[in-house]
Amino acid sequence: MLMFKTLWAIAAFAAALGTSPAAAQAPAPKAVKVAPDTYMVQGVSALGSSANRNFISNAAFVVTPEGVLVVDALGSPVLARELLAEIRRITPAPVRYVVLTHYHADHIYGLQAFKDAGASVIAHKDGQIYMNSDTAALRLQASREELGPAVDASTRLVAADRWIDSRTTLQMGGLDFVLQPAGPAHTPEDLVVWVPQLKLLIAGDLVFRGRIPFVGQADSGRWITALDTLLAFDAAVIVPGHGPVSQSARADLELTRDYLVYLRQTMGEAARSMDPFEEAYARTDWSRFEKLPLFGAANRINAYNTYLLMEQAGK
Ligand SMILES: [Zn+2]
């Protein structure tokens, strides 16, 4: 279904351009200013593919006179090189740091290009669990086949130069970069970047903007705790790991949190009274959320996963 939709979207896009899908250009990182001295490139809403070169996640960068700090490295080395060219278009300052919000393929496969450019990579220490896992090795092997030639035999996993395990502040060019561990939630190694002078929060995959999130197998209880950590910052702008920038930071954080809280309340009650899922789902009042994008695609499965999670928790 998702694949069909994606193909349809590509075909519709190509038709709008008056070209065939085969002739459609691969999407490329294009830096857009989202706050003072702050830029992001926005990945496409799709699964990673050869055609999109795994450009399915965002990266952000903040420019100071002393250097540039990049958050997340994109999903292939070629994309990262294009991101570096975008940075060069804006400033001659060196890229000094790359901070990773988490060790997922679409955020890290570009790392080697930043290493080549002399940047220092910083991540939460629990990223080492992923680095050293069979999952990471198998994922990379599969990606070389699925995402080639953007990801190929020369693409490698890159360890951080510095692993941190508590709140750490970097200072550069008059700005503070507060690296705040926020996991385990989306992953054990979740890290967000807060720049107080800009009221800017770069939040990785903990925040979804104005839409229903895919909860998947995530522990929503921990996710709620992470969102409360983020709400403690007085953010005006949030750059998420996927999708557009948010200029209504607080409202977006609260929406995701309230949705997760509501899922846990309603499905938790149902699981405790051993009501069958179908019945509980049908009688739950979804009116606050049902107009949001992706409600149709995500809500039922989110509710079901939460029901199972709460059932497990009750045992
Ligand atoms: Zn992601």
Side-chain angles (χ1 to χ4, degrees):
M1 183 61 185
L2 190 59
M3 184 60 85
F4 174 78
K5 271 192 178 160
T6 305
L7 289 174
W8 183 86
I10 291 169
F13 182 66
L17 291 175
T19 57
S20 71
Q25 282 280 312
K30 176 104 191 58
V32 175
K33 193 168 189 177
V34 293
D37 304 318
T38 307
Y39 301 79
M40 76 179 275
V41 300
Q42 187 183 329
V44 297
S45 291
L47 300 176
S49 68
S50 287
N52 64 32
R53 305 179 299 167
N54 210 23
F55 186 32
I56 59 167
S57 63
N58 301 340
F61 58 96
V62 182
V63 176
T64 83
E66 288 172 19
V68 178
L69 179 139
V70 177
V71 181
D72 286 344
L74 298 179
S76 59
V78 62
L79 290 175
R81 286 194 293 274
E82 289 176 14
L83 172 56
L84 279 162
E86 285 290 283
I87 295 171
R88 279 296 147 264
R89 216 165 47 75
I90 291 160
T91 175
V95 176
R96 286 184 52 194
Y97 302 107
V98 178
V99 178
L100 295 173
T101 59
H102 61 296
Y103 261 82
H104 271 179
D106 54 328
H107 301 254
I108 62 164
Y109 282 171
L111 274 176
Q112 62 202 65
F114 290 100
K115 287 297 291 176
D116 293 345
S120 169
V121 178
I122 305 176
H124 188 279
K125 73 164 176 35
D126 286 349
Q128 292 173 88
I129 301 168
Y130 179 84
M131 272 291 296
N132 300 321
S133 69
D134 290 345
T135 311
L138 292 171
R139 178 75 261 165
L140 179 56
Q141 214 171 359
S143 295
R144 283 171 175 150
E145 280 161 31
E146 289 161 16
L147 306 173
V151 174
D152 66 13
S154 72
T155 309
R156 61 181 199 274
L157 294 169
V158 174
D161 297 291
R162 185 173 168 197
W163 300 105
I164 62 171
D165 64 357
S166 58
R167 183 196 278 233
T168 302
T169 303
L170 306 171
Q171 277 154 338
M172 181 168 65
L175 294 178
D176 295 326
F177 296 90
V178 179
L179 315 184
Q180 172 69 56
H186 182 62
T187 65
E189 68 274 16
D190 294 322
L191 196 64
V192 301
V193 179
W194 165 240
V195 187
Q197 291 89 346
L198 305 177
K199 291 199 166 210
L200 167 74
L201 182 66
I202 304 169
D205 292 1
L206 295 170
V207 179
F208 289 78
R209 190 205 155 191
R211 48 160 276 200
I212 295 292
F214 285 100
V215 178
Q217 306 302 317
D219 182 328
S220 48
R222 288 171 166 175
W223 194 350
I224 290 164
T225 307
L227 289 168
D228 284 332
T229 303
L230 271 46
L231 274 161
F233 297 120
D234 183 24
V237 176
I238 295 182
V239 178
H242 300 266
V245 66
S246 164
Q247 308 281 354
S248 51
R250 200 160 188 95
D252 284 334
L253 286 172
E254 283 171 349
L255 178 71
T256 306
R257 185 197 54 187
D258 292 354
Y259 174 69
L260 296 173
V261 167
Y262 190 67
L263 280 181
R264 289 176 68 87
Q265 255 167 23
T266 53
M267 294 302 112
E269 249 167 59
R272 272 191 303 278
S273 14
M274 293 195 268
D275 297 342
F277 169 73
E278 295 299 331
E279 248 170 57
Y281 186 84
R283 67 154 192 267
T284 300
D285 175 9
W286 299 109
S287 55
R288 182 172 168 204
F289 303 105
E290 69 195 354
K291 300 248 161 35
L292 291 168
L294 294 184
F295 180 88
N299 189 60
R300 191 185 183 82
I301 185 74
N302 287 344
Y304 185 62
N305 282 335
T306 308
Y307 181 89
L308 296 180
L309 185 79
M310 301 310 279
E311 202 175 44
Q312 252 343 89
K315 272 179 190 160

